[in-house]
Amino acid sequence: CYSIKTDTYGLLSMSYGVESIRIHKKLRLDKRAGSDNWYARLTLPNGKRLVKTTKTEDIESAKEVALRLYYEVDARIQNKLPATTRKFGDVAKHAIARMETEIREGVGKQAYRDYVQALNKWLIPYFGTTDIAKLDLAAVTAFDAWRTAQSGKVPAQSTINNHNSALNRVLDEAELNGWIVKSLRPTLLNKGVKTQSRGSFSVEEYRTIYSALRTFHKQTPNEKSAATRETLRNYVLFLANTGVRHGTEALGLKWRNIEWYERDGERYLAVSVDGKTNKRTAIARDRVVDFLWRQAQLNPRITAGDFDALILSKLDAPVFTTRLSATVTVHNLNRAFNALLDELDLKTGADGRTRTLYSWRHFYATQDLERGGSTHALSRQLGNSTEMIDRHYSKYSPLLNAEVHSGRKQKH
């Protein structure tokens, strides 16, 4: 007896069993246990097997189906096309499974989560039943028009880049498995709206905000909202003094990811984060110790006597939880922070740009440059390329360091 099984490439493979008839050098008809129908088994040039039911128990009819399969596949190979095809949705599931596995194993990028979301929300609903080999420039252009219609606006370049990266993961999977050839891959374009840099805060606004956060939690009778606002206070100060990204990067931080780094008799607080593109270690400003220790005291499960003891314990627990032992969410933090900005009339800056929790990253960068830091050093701290830092902050640097460029003051 033999069975039909799916191999690691999603193709059907069959071991010898009940009955097998040779039709051609690389083509056979097989019967499986429990079925009267014949199955055509074709050995591909790469050694993999393609198995397809003939849907008939008549041997002559089965031979016709098998030979038709053989000649169709042979024609595709002769024309330098993949021997087999797959629907986009099926290939996307393979790509998603691979990315999720890499994330679990600690070798995947945080951006993979964004790719999976883009695939499930946009790409699979549109391309799901399309043969992956038929996904060409015309199909991508049609998708672009559909996406714009669904959104009601032209997406930002960053959004399109994310979708293109997700699509490339699916195309990589298809090429790896021989479902498309490299020459069939479409060129992905990006004609989206150029993303405006997020607004920032001035030092005076920073002081106004952290002063208001001291009592902000007392202004709501809702216990959960109050707990979120308490954590928001420490979260804002952490973001503003580390440059760590709001969201997955900061909320994924655990106490075991924080340690002391010693050099030349000095010690610095080092924070290891799983970034958008890769893992990195950022050095926090010295004052962050106070913010984190206050945050630790909100967690009833932490029993360490002081901050050093807490760091040494390598506790595998999220840093940003509430006193109710709940991990804060992006949604709740955003809602609480927006309420505070509305109350302080600071939602929009003098430049007309809306400020969000992500604006603290921009605040940190400008403060670092004002202290005389280089864009190269800043890029390592923030986890961005030097080119991106130069592109976004080069216009600020001469103004931030006016006293240096004028010759009045020398920064070390």
Side-chain angles (χ1 to χ4, degrees):
C1 180
Y2 59 75
S3 61
I4 294 178
K5 59 183 179 180
T6 303
D7 64 16
T8 55
Y9 295 92
L11 297 175
L12 289 174
S13 60
M14 181 182 291
S15 58
Y16 297 100
V18 176
E19 190 174 354
S20 182
I21 300 174
R22 183 171 179 174
I23 305 299
H24 190 274
K25 183 180 179 180
K26 295 184 178 181
L27 178 66
R28 304 188 74 91
L29 280 174
D30 296 314
K31 272 200 174 181
R32 59 180 294 186
S35 174
D36 293 327
N37 290 338
W38 289 97
Y39 285 81
R41 171 164 54 95
L42 175 62
T43 303
L44 303 175
N46 60 8
K48 297 184 180 67
R49 292 173 179 174
L50 173 62
V51 177
K52 182 177 181 181
T53 178
T54 66
K55 297 183 180 180
T56 179
E57 58 185 279
D58 180 71
I59 186 62
E60 295 303 323
S61 297
K63 286 180 180 179
E64 290 181 10
V65 174
L67 287 170
R68 186 159 60 246
L69 172 66
Y70 171 80
Y71 289 120
E72 286 175 356
V73 171
D74 185 63
R76 293 182 65 82
I77 293 172
Q78 294 303 318
N79 286 286
K80 297 183 178 180
L81 296 173
T84 59
T85 61
R86 283 289 186 278
K87 300 298 184 184
F88 181 91
D90 296 330
V91 183
K93 290 177 182 177
H94 280 273
I96 289 173
R98 189 184 297 274
M99 286 188 284
E100 290 178 340
T101 297
E102 291 181 10
I103 290 173
R104 284 196 303 273
E105 294 176 350
V107 295
K109 301 176 181 178
Q110 283 296 327
Y112 286 177
R113 302 183 192 277
D114 296 329
Y115 300 165
V116 171
Q117 184 178 29
L119 286 168
N120 287 327
K121 183 177 180 180
W122 295 98
L123 295 162
I124 294 177
Y126 185 83
F127 291 118
T129 58
T130 303
D131 282 343
I132 192 71
K134 294 181 179 179
L135 203 156
D136 54 15
L137 182 57
V140 173
T141 302
F143 166 72
D144 186 53
W146 174 81
R147 178 176 53 195
T148 299
Q150 292 290 311
S151 303
K153 61 181 180 180
V154 177
Q157 288 182 351
S158 58
T159 297
I160 297 178
N161 280 336
N162 182 59
H163 290 190
N164 285 349
S165 296
L167 182 53
N168 273 324
R169 291 290 304 190
V170 178
L171 294 173
D172 287 344
E173 193 72 25
E175 189 176 341
L176 175 67
N177 291 308
W179 298 325
I180 63 170
V181 292
K182 194 173 186 66
S183 60
L184 288 179
R185 293 185 67 146
T187 300
L188 305 182
L189 306 176
N190 190 339
K191 297 182 180 180
V193 177
K194 185 176 181 181
T195 304
Q196 293 288 326
S197 58
R198 292 174 175 84
S200 184
F201 297 101
S202 67
V203 174
E204 291 73 19
E205 289 170 333
Y206 168 60
R207 290 170 180 157
T208 298
I209 289 170
Y210 74 63
S211 295
L213 281 168
R214 292 169 181 163
T215 57
F216 188 48
H217 66 285
K218 298 178 181 179
Q219 298 175 18
T220 176
N222 185 287
E223 186 180 22
K224 290 183 179 179
S225 295
T228 295
R229 292 182 178 190
E230 276 186 303
T231 298
L232 176 67
R233 178 189 179 189
N234 303 318
Y235 187 74
V236 164
L237 291 169
F238 175 81
L239 296 181
N241 289 279
T242 60
V244 169
R245 290 180 179 89
H246 162 50
T248 303
E249 197 168 278
L251 295 183
L253 188 68
K254 296 186 177 182
W255 290 108
R256 61 177 169 78
N257 302 134
I258 303 172
E259 62 184 357
W260 287 112
Y261 166 66
E262 296 188 11
R263 191 182 69 184
D264 300 329
E266 299 285 346
R267 68 176 189 173
Y268 307 88
L269 193 65
V271 181
S272 297
V273 294
D274 198 348
K276 185 176 181 180
T277 54
N278 50 33
K279 295 180 181 180
R280 73 181 190 284
T281 299
I283 298 297
R285 306 235 194 271
D286 292 340
R287 63 180 75 104
V288 171
V289 171
D290 296 332
F291 311 147
L292 289 178
W293 179 237
R294 184 169 59 221
Q295 175 58 34
Q297 291 174 307
L298 293 178
N299 190 337
R301 299 176 183 176
I302 292 179
T303 58
D306 56 31
F307 187 75
D308 284 346
L310 173 59
I311 297 304
L312 287 174
S313 70
K314 293 295 180 182
L315 191 63
D316 187 30
V319 170
F320 293 104
T321 59
T322 71
R323 66 168 60 253
L324 302 177
S325 299
T327 302
V328 288
T329 65
V330 169
H331 173 73
N332 288 342
L333 287 170
N334 286 342
R335 183 172 59 182
F337 189 60
N338 287 335
L340 176 66
L341 293 184
D342 287 338
E343 179 181 304
L344 299 175
D345 195 22
L346 291 176
K347 184 63 177 174
T348 304
D351 57 3
R353 292 177 180 169
T354 300
R355 276 86 74 88
T356 68
L357 280 169
Y358 204 94
S359 298
W360 291 118
R361 185 169 163 84
H362 184 53
F363 172 82
Y364 177 89
T366 54
Q367 291 300 301
D368 220 41
L369 291 173
E370 188 172 5
R371 289 180 173 87
S374 69
T375 54
H376 176 77
L378 182 60
S379 71
R380 297 297 179 268
Q381 173 80 1
L382 297 182
N384 290 118
S385 68
T386 304
E387 291 75 14
M388 194 286 286
I389 297 294
D390 284 334
R391 184 167 64 252
H392 284 278
Y393 295 103
S394 60
K395 58 182 176 291
Y396 295 101
S397 186
L399 299 177
L400 293 174
N401 296 293
E403 69 276 26
V404 175
H405 297 301
S406 68
R408 299 177 192 174
K409 182 179 178 181
Q410 182 175 354
K411 288 192 175 183
H412 300 282

